[in-house]
Amino acid sequence: MKNKTITLPDLKSGETYAGLVISDNGSMHHLILLDGDADKASHQKQLDWAKSIGGELPTRQEQALLYANCKSQFKSDWHWSADLYASVSGYAWFQDFTTGYQGSSVIYGKLRARAVRRFPI
């Protein structure tokens, strides 16, 4: 196997490098936490907010990495993920940044959000 050099992405002011994510399909990307957070709102409003600042909500896998590496950057509260709960329509996953617990809630419920951007490798 040929060695591959991994270059860290340049960060914009206020951004935090969260780590390397390896997806189930073997693709890799750097995860970058964007500056700022959103007060409690529905899942769709948080998706729209993240997009409006040039980011996306993190996946459940990415939220676990954010909890491990960037917990201090989050308010101790529940934060929406981008992932819908496949087993029950109208629910999405969240991460509790107090305890690390991941669960699901109705998408019209109001939770906090942080946005990320991804830098493919």
Side-chain angles (χ1 to χ4, degrees):
M1 184 169 146
K2 187 177 180 182
N3 289 338
K4 184 174 185 177
T5 301
I6 296 177
T7 305
L8 295 178
D10 292 329
L11 298 179
K12 299 174 186 171
S13 178
E15 293 183 336
T16 302
Y17 181 76
L20 180 67
V21 177
I22 303 174
S23 299
D24 291 340
N25 66 7
S27 66
M28 296 185 290
H29 64 272
H30 296 288
L31 186 66
I32 299 157
L33 179 64
L34 300 184
D35 191 24
D37 64 334
D39 289 331
K40 294 180 179 182
S42 70
H43 189 253
Q44 185 59 55
K45 285 189 179 192
Q46 299 297 32
L47 290 167
D48 295 341
W49 167 80
K51 187 175 181 181
S52 78
I53 65 165
E56 299 178 66
L57 294 184
T59 66
R60 284 179 66 204
Q61 179 188 21
E62 291 169 342
Q63 281 187 320
L65 180 70
L66 290 164
Y67 181 79
N69 293 344
C70 301
K71 181 182 173 186
S72 65
Q73 301 285 325
F74 285 78
K75 292 189 175 166
S76 294
D77 208 343
W78 297 358
H79 289 71
W80 282 120
S81 85
D83 295 340
L84 295 175
Y85 186 68
S87 299
V88 181
S89 178
Y91 278 67
W93 288 97
F94 67 82
Q95 172 88 39
D96 179 1
F97 279 87
T98 303
T99 65
Y101 172 77
Q102 288 189 336
S104 61
S105 182
V106 293
I107 57 176
Y108 56 80
K110 294 183 178 182
L111 305 181
R112 299 190 70 79
R114 292 293 306 266
V116 298
R117 68 180 174 99
R118 297 168 187 93
F119 187 83
I121 297 173

